[in-house]
């Protein structure tokens, strides 16, 4: 499996060698950027300071570049910044104002600044999915100690793919889990009552089943938290059980439509964003399944690349799974150009991906056994 090596810019080219230093202006008020500030992308970005091209830390889109008192450059949300903070200015991305956004190092043929080398093909339900390649990329990421982020919607539970996700959690393929109230509620409903929205695995709607998710929420609230419910034995299976037992961190972001919500849900949207961003900043691989809003939200938090130090970078593999092309196309339209779309239902994706990952592991075990023999 080829690794996608990044080609850094040619800083000896006349345009970059003769470029001016970036201009910084202080903020006049807390959270208010000066007019003409530079709005960041998720692509590799360089800022010229005192004649040297440098990359800011914590890259992501829709933020500002800050020059710290000690000379460090970092990317930050405007709401975090205080009066007097020095912010990079300019709208040009070609280096002419001391800021250079570089995507060409990831291109296949140089046709567009938004075309990445990671499995870049059109999004279509008619396009076959190379599950073998996806499985190998995922397995290799775990083997090299990557941080694998899963962003999951409740449709995965409704689609009867809980056990597959539990398998991935238990086998070390989930470094962090991001979702909302609903995915946790219906997983916990499944653990307590064997239903999802009152429907059994055989598709039978139980009498009074419409209220089972509310009973599950109430039971967890009585226990005090999901972790306490697991530790007490109230919850004995499912996704949340596996996350707690495996010590895998999870963030449940609240929304205005939440039932309950569960006590673990973060109802403050900015606090939830902060909690999710802590994991997004560490991600080296991301899988979004059946959740349009969370997929787009987390996609906006991710850089388009994994920074491996120095000039070493590679695209951040981002798999987006949904039954409609709309979600993946919307994700790309919002700037997550490296997203690879799989247009299928959650159950099929999880079943098939697990099959290929298990087969990859078996092949690795066989090779290792043969070498020892």
């Amino acid at each position: 499996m080829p690794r996608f090596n990044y080609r850094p810019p040619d800083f000896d080219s006349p345009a970059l060698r003769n470029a001016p230093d970036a201009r910084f202006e202080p903020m006049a008020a807390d959270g208010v950027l000066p007019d003409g500030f530079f709005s960041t992308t998720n692509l590799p970005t360089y800022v010229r300071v005192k004649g040297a091209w440098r990359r800011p830390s914590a890259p992501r889109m829709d933020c500002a570049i800050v020059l710290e008192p000690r000379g460090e450059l970092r990317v930050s949300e405007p709401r975090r910044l205080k009066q007097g903070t020095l912010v990079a200015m300019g709208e040009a991305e070609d280096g002419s104002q001391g800021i250079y956004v570089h995507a060409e190092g990831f291109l296949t043929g140089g046709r567009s600044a938004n075309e990445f080398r990671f499995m870049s093909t059109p999004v279509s339900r008619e396009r076959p999915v190379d599950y073998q390649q996806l499985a190998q990329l995922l397995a290799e990421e775990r083997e090299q100690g990557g941080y694998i982020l899963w962003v999951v919607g409740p449709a995965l539970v409704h689609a009867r793919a809980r056990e597959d996700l539990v398998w991935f959690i238990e086998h070390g393929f989930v470094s962090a889990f991001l979702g909302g109230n609903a995915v946790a509620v219906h997983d916990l409903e499944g653990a307590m009552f064997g239903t999802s929205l009152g429907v059994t695995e055989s598709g039978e709607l139980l009498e009074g089943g419409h209220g089972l998710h509310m009973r599950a929420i109430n039971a967890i609230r009585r226990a005090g938290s999901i972790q306490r419910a697991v530790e007490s034995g109230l919850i004995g299976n499912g996704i949340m059980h596996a996350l707690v037992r495996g010590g895998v961190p999870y963030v449940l972001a609240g929304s205005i439509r939440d039932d309950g919500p569960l006590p673990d849900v973060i109802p403050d949207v900015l606090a939830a964003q902060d909690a999710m961003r802590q994991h997004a900043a560490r991600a080296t691989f991301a899988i979004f399944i059946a959740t349009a809003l969370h997929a787009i939200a987390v996609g906006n938090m991710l850089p388009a690349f994994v920074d491996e130090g120095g000039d070493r970078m590679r695209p951040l593999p981002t798999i987006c799974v949904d039954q409609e092309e709309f979600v993946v196309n919307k994700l790309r339209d919002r700037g997550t150009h490296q997203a690879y779309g799989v247009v299928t239902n959650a159950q099929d994706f999880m079943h098939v991906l697990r099959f290929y990952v298990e087969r990859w592991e078996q092949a690795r075990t066989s090779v290792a056994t043969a070498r020892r023999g």
Side-chain angles (χ1 to χ4, degrees), residues 16 101 121 199 306:
L16 297 183
V101 177
T121 52
V199 179
V306 178

Side-chain angles (χ1 to χ4, degrees), residues 243-288:
L243 293 171
V244 170
R245 288 299 189 195
V248 177
Y250 56 87
V251 177
L252 304 177
S255 82
I256 198 169
R257 61 188 176 180
D258 286 345
D259 297 326
L262 291 165
D264 301 76
V265 170
I266 304 174
D268 183 324
V269 67
L270 293 181
Q273 183 188 90
D274 288 344
M276 296 171 78
R277 200 183 295 278
Q278 289 182 12
H279 299 289
R282 299 177 60 188
T284 60
F285 199 107
I287 301 176
F288 306 153

Side-chain angles (χ1 to χ4, degrees), residues 65-86:
I65 297 175
V66 172
L67 179 62
E68 300 282 19
R70 294 186 177 181
E72 298 92 346
L73 293 169
R74 66 179 175 89
V75 174
S76 179
E77 304 90 336
R79 65 181 171 85
R80 295 181 180 276
L81 303 178
K82 302 298 183 182
Q83 181 180 3
T85 300
L86 293 176

Side-chain angles (χ1 to χ4, degrees), residues 116 156 268 328 366:
F116 280 75
L156 182 141
D268 183 324
V328 186
S366 298

Side-chain angles (χ1 to χ4, degrees), residues 138 142 146-152 164-178 239 243 246-249 287 350:
L138 179 61
R142 184 198 62 177
Y147 200 81
I148 305 171
L149 193 67
W150 290 68
V151 184
V152 179
D164 293 310
L165 183 50
V166 167
W167 184 89
F168 281 107
I169 295 169
E170 293 178 343
H171 286 77
F173 291 99
V174 181
S175 304
F177 177 93
L178 307 184
I239 298 167
L243 293 171
V248 177
I287 301 176
M350 295 297 288

Side-chain angles (χ1 to χ4, degrees), residues 188-211:
L188 295 165
E189 177 193 343
M192 294 182 66
F193 304 110
T195 60
S196 176
L197 282 177
V199 179
T200 67
E201 290 193 2
S202 62
E204 179 185 0
L205 176 62
L206 295 184
E207 184 175 352
H210 66 279

Side-chain angles (χ1 to χ4, degrees), residues 39-43 58-64 75 77 277 296 299-303 331 334-337:
S39 182
T40 61
T41 76
N42 59 354
L43 306 176
R60 52 193 181 274
M61 67 177 75
D62 301 331
C63 290
V75 174
E77 304 90 336
R277 200 183 295 278
I296 294 169
N300 283 3
M301 298 179 189
L302 293 174
L331 188 63
R334 293 296 300 270
T336 310
H337 309 297

